[in-house]
Amino acid sequence: MTTLRAAAYSLDDPGKKDSSPMNRHAWLDRIHALDPETEYTEIYRISSLHEFPWDTNQSLGFALYRTYAVPSIGRLLARTGEFTGRTQKRYDDTVLILEAVLEHGFDSPQGREAIRRMNQMHQRYEISDEDFRYVLATFVVVPKRWLDDYGWRPYSAAEVRASVNYYRELGRHMGLRDLPESFGEFERLLDEYERANFAFDQGGRSVSDSTLDLMASWYPALTRPAMRLSSICLLDDPLREAFAYPAPPALLRKAVRAGMRLRGRFVRLLPPRREPHYARDGRQVRGYPNGYEISELGTFGPAARPSACPFGAAAPETAAQKAPGTAS
């Protein structure tokens, strides 16, 4: 295979151009030079934006989707009407808020603004800390399991540890306490919570139906029924049964999962991604063609509790994002 030698950003200085070749594991080598205990944001940023941008976006979407099978969560989301009536906007807002924290960091004006917006929305509702911890656990556990099954390589040990520390820090900014300290503890929390709480609820089923319809809408009209069924083929049995979906044909399920693994093997042959790929640059985020401001994302309304990030207000600068190609 021909080595890619086009001008690239240096791994030592992302803003510096060089013409040196990059091997397929160049970013992994960079990750191994970082400390997952202190440089976890940079490791998670490399993994999410360079190594696995598509897989990260898909797996985090499925992570959030899992939570709808917990009746206390699915029922609440259905009651707001946001996840059934404005599904695309809720998807966009969730992606963009989380991406702002990842791109800019927890202590940046943009990161603080994003966390404040997230906390303001959550504080409008009575949500238990147990549910919050479970949602956080899905963000840690589901991406690793996804990459184990479908990625072009699995997470390294450093990436797993960095993911744990990253979401522990996010949980801390959400005001959560008693968070798991290791991947194994997050995994046990997720598995035990799902065994105890997964159950059918019409509200959760409605949110699930709307989400599957949204995923299918990203594809040509003639393929949408097949894409919706393919999404169900990726669900594990306890999750599918909690939504009362009939089991898809075994051969179809096997074919869909084999296709996903085949994609991973193909991606393994590609050169490393030299520039970060943000979810906002993809075709799935559709609601802000003219750009957006972080402070305007999400829903608004009276807060049930004081609405502030527990780690202080955002800096006074405007935390704004522009659509690709627009002027700053």
Side-chain angles (χ1 to χ4, degrees):
M1 185 171 61
T2 303
T3 303
L4 186 61
R5 295 179 180 274
Y9 288 106
S10 166
L11 285 170
D12 295 323
D13 180 0
K16 179 183 178 182
K17 297 281 187 175
D18 67 46
S19 58
S20 60
M22 289 176 64
N23 68 67
R24 190 64 180 96
H25 295 286
W27 286 115
L28 185 58
D29 293 340
R30 171 62 176 157
I31 286 170
H32 288 161
L34 299 171
D35 183 356
E37 300 301 330
T38 59
E39 298 172 293
Y40 48 85
T41 300
E42 181 62 15
I43 292 174
Y44 191 61
R45 189 179 291 130
I46 292 171
S47 296
S48 300
L49 303 180
H50 287 274
E51 292 284 73
F52 313 109
W54 186 85
D55 294 283
T56 298
N57 193 38
Q58 297 299 313
S59 62
L60 288 178
F62 269 96
L64 185 61
Y65 177 85
R66 294 191 76 82
T67 69
Y68 308 158
V70 175
S72 58
I73 298 174
R75 191 180 303 130
L76 172 62
L77 295 177
R79 191 166 69 243
T80 69
E82 294 291 331
F83 280 76
T84 52
R86 298 200 296 171
T87 315
Q88 180 70 62
K89 178 171 170 48
R90 290 285 68 78
Y91 173 86
D92 293 349
D93 291 345
T94 301
V95 167
L96 296 174
I97 286 172
L98 291 176
E99 190 167 80
V101 181
L102 175 62
E103 180 180 4
H104 301 287
F106 291 100
D107 296 326
S108 67
Q110 297 93 333
R112 285 183 177 274
E113 187 67 58
I115 292 169
R116 178 198 282 168
R117 273 276 59 229
M118 181 172 61
N119 286 337
Q120 286 172 336
M121 288 185 287
H122 290 161
Q123 287 158 357
R124 294 174 59 196
Y125 308 102
E126 292 297 328
I127 306 172
S128 70
D129 284 355
E130 290 76 14
D131 279 352
F132 273 131
R133 279 191 286 268
Y134 165 64
V135 173
L136 207 64
T138 67
F139 290 164
V140 174
V141 176
V142 173
K144 180 187 181 302
R145 289 179 173 176
W146 176 281
L147 289 170
D148 285 344
D149 290 339
Y150 307 123
W152 70 268
R153 68 167 176 83
Y155 268 156
S156 67
E159 288 168 305
V160 172
R161 184 60 191 165
S163 174
V164 167
N165 285 331
Y166 182 87
Y167 283 107
R168 278 175 51 82
E169 183 69 4
L170 181 61
R172 192 171 71 94
H173 280 78
M174 294 169 63
L176 299 178
R177 301 179 184 276
D178 301 321
L179 293 171
E181 296 184 358
S182 67
F183 178 83
E185 291 177 7
F186 269 112
E187 192 170 41
R188 283 192 295 276
L189 186 158
L190 180 140
D191 290 337
E192 291 174 3
Y193 206 73
E194 290 183 348
R195 280 195 294 269
N197 292 281
F198 267 10
F200 179 81
D201 180 86
Q202 187 55 53
R205 170 63 185 258
S206 297
V207 176
S208 170
D209 286 342
S210 296
T211 301
L212 292 176
D213 289 343
L214 173 66
M215 293 177 179
S217 75
W218 297 330
Y219 299 91
L222 289 177
T223 68
R224 288 172 187 172
M227 297 309 300
R228 192 181 192 279
L229 182 56
S230 295
S231 295
I232 294 176
C233 288
L234 295 176
L235 307 183
D236 55 87
D237 288 339
L239 180 60
R240 178 184 54 76
E241 291 166 2
F243 292 127
Y245 292 131
L251 284 178
L252 177 62
R253 185 178 183 183
K254 184 177 180 179
V256 168
R257 296 184 176 203
M260 291 291 292
R261 289 190 290 271
L262 183 62
R263 177 198 171 273
R265 288 196 287 272
F266 171 76
V267 173
R268 189 183 306 154
L269 302 176
L270 299 178
R273 184 178 294 277
R274 295 175 180 274
E275 298 183 15
H277 180 79
Y278 297 99
R280 64 175 180 266
D281 297 328
R283 59 187 176 87
Q284 295 176 350
V285 175
R286 300 179 172 184
Y288 300 95
N290 299 315
Y292 57 92
E293 290 192 357
I294 295 171
S295 61
E296 297 176 351
L297 296 174
T299 57
F300 293 85
R305 290 171 286 183
S307 57
C309 171
F311 285 77
E317 294 91 342
T318 299
Q321 296 284 345
K322 299 294 183 181
T326 60
S328 60

